[in-house]
Amino acid sequence: TSRLLADVVHSIPESRRKDMVFVQNPMISPFLDSAGLQHCTQLLIYFAVPRLGDLPTDGGKSVVWGPWADAVCCRLEKGNIKCLALQDKASYDRLAMEKLLWLCVFGLLCQKYKQTVGVVCQIHLEDVKTLTMELQGVGERALALQLESGVVDRLCEYSSSIPDWFAGLREFKWRNGWFLRLEKSPLHVRLLTELGQPI
């Protein structure tokens, strides 16, 4: 939660907060902005650990931006996780939005259909396309950015790299809830309602 994240930040001496590395899956940019931490290193992970004790399955698309980007890449590569250090914050923001889309689209559809990300791509592709287009528009308008064409293809490509992963509605406030607060788009609202999620 935002309170827990704030507690962690406040436990760090102020002189060292600039050295913090934030591992971003959900939408934490508003928190970072409000805390004056928007220039800290931010890591976007594309790997999964299917079960406790398993080695990570690398999706090959992890990226990092910020003052400690090179050090983070070095640390991950020692664990056989590929990671690219980005110099451009705008590029990082676009990729962070794509990852958020993946989390929200596949989290919702995997829970709805009780299927893994690989199966959802194969059997429910039309839902993937429609929901992605809905939420992509909401995100682009909110952050004044534009994603490169082919978003659905890239989301499914990542799903194909970890086909047995069962996504779900997690960290709702920071993921689907962020989109929902901005706009109540039709398929998103319908699927959430069918799963009993308060709107």
Side-chain angles (χ1 to χ4, degrees), residues 99-148:
K99 181 61 184 293
L100 184 63
L101 286 171
W102 184 84
L103 291 164
C104 294
V105 169
F106 283 91
L108 185 49
L109 294 177
C110 284
Q111 193 154 322
K112 162 68 177 174
Y113 294 115
K114 298 181 172 53
Q115 299 286 356
T116 64
V117 296
V119 173
V120 166
C121 270
Q122 292 176 346
I123 299 179
H124 303 288
L125 184 57
E126 286 307 311
D127 281 349
V128 172
K129 290 178 179 177
T130 302
L131 189 55
T132 299
M133 288 171 52
E134 276 190 10
L135 299 185
Q136 179 181 341
V138 175
E140 288 179 335
R141 288 189 291 275
L143 300 183
L145 53 77
Q146 185 170 2
L147 303 185
E148 295 182 6

Side-chain angles (χ1 to χ4, degrees), residues 36-164:
L37 299 170
Q38 64 269 31
H39 301 299
C40 288
T41 303
Q42 297 172 50
L43 169 64
L44 195 64
I45 59 170
Y46 272 90
F47 58 85
V49 181
R51 289 170 293 275
L52 184 64
D54 287 356
L55 292 174
T57 301
D58 186 14
K61 298 174 65 175
S62 295
V63 295
V64 60
W65 170 87
W68 291 104
D70 290 336
V72 169
C73 282
C74 183
R75 182 71 58 90
L76 287 175
E77 286 165 2
K78 287 181 179 178
N80 296 316
I81 301 295
K82 293 179 182 177
C83 186
L84 176 65
L86 298 174
Q87 303 301 316
D88 178 14
K89 181 60 163 55
S91 296
Y92 177 87
D93 288 342
R94 286 191 292 270
L95 292 172
M97 176 53 62
E98 280 200 20
K99 181 61 184 293
L100 184 63
L101 286 171
W102 184 84
L103 291 164
C104 294
V105 169
F106 283 91
L108 185 49
L109 294 177
C110 284
Q111 193 154 322
K112 162 68 177 174
Y113 294 115
K114 298 181 172 53
Q115 299 286 356
T116 64
V117 296
V119 173
V120 166
C121 270
Q122 292 176 346
I123 299 179
H124 303 288
L125 184 57
E126 286 307 311
D127 281 349
V128 172
K129 290 178 179 177
T130 302
L131 189 55
T132 299
M133 288 171 52
E134 276 190 10
L135 299 185
Q136 179 181 341
V138 175
E140 288 179 335
R141 288 189 291 275
L143 300 183
L145 53 77
Q146 185 170 2
L147 303 185
E148 295 182 6
S149 61
V151 172
V152 171
D153 290 340
R154 291 192 294 276
L155 299 188
C156 286
E157 179 184 4
Y158 177 53
S159 294
S160 297
S161 72
I162 52 168
D164 297 329

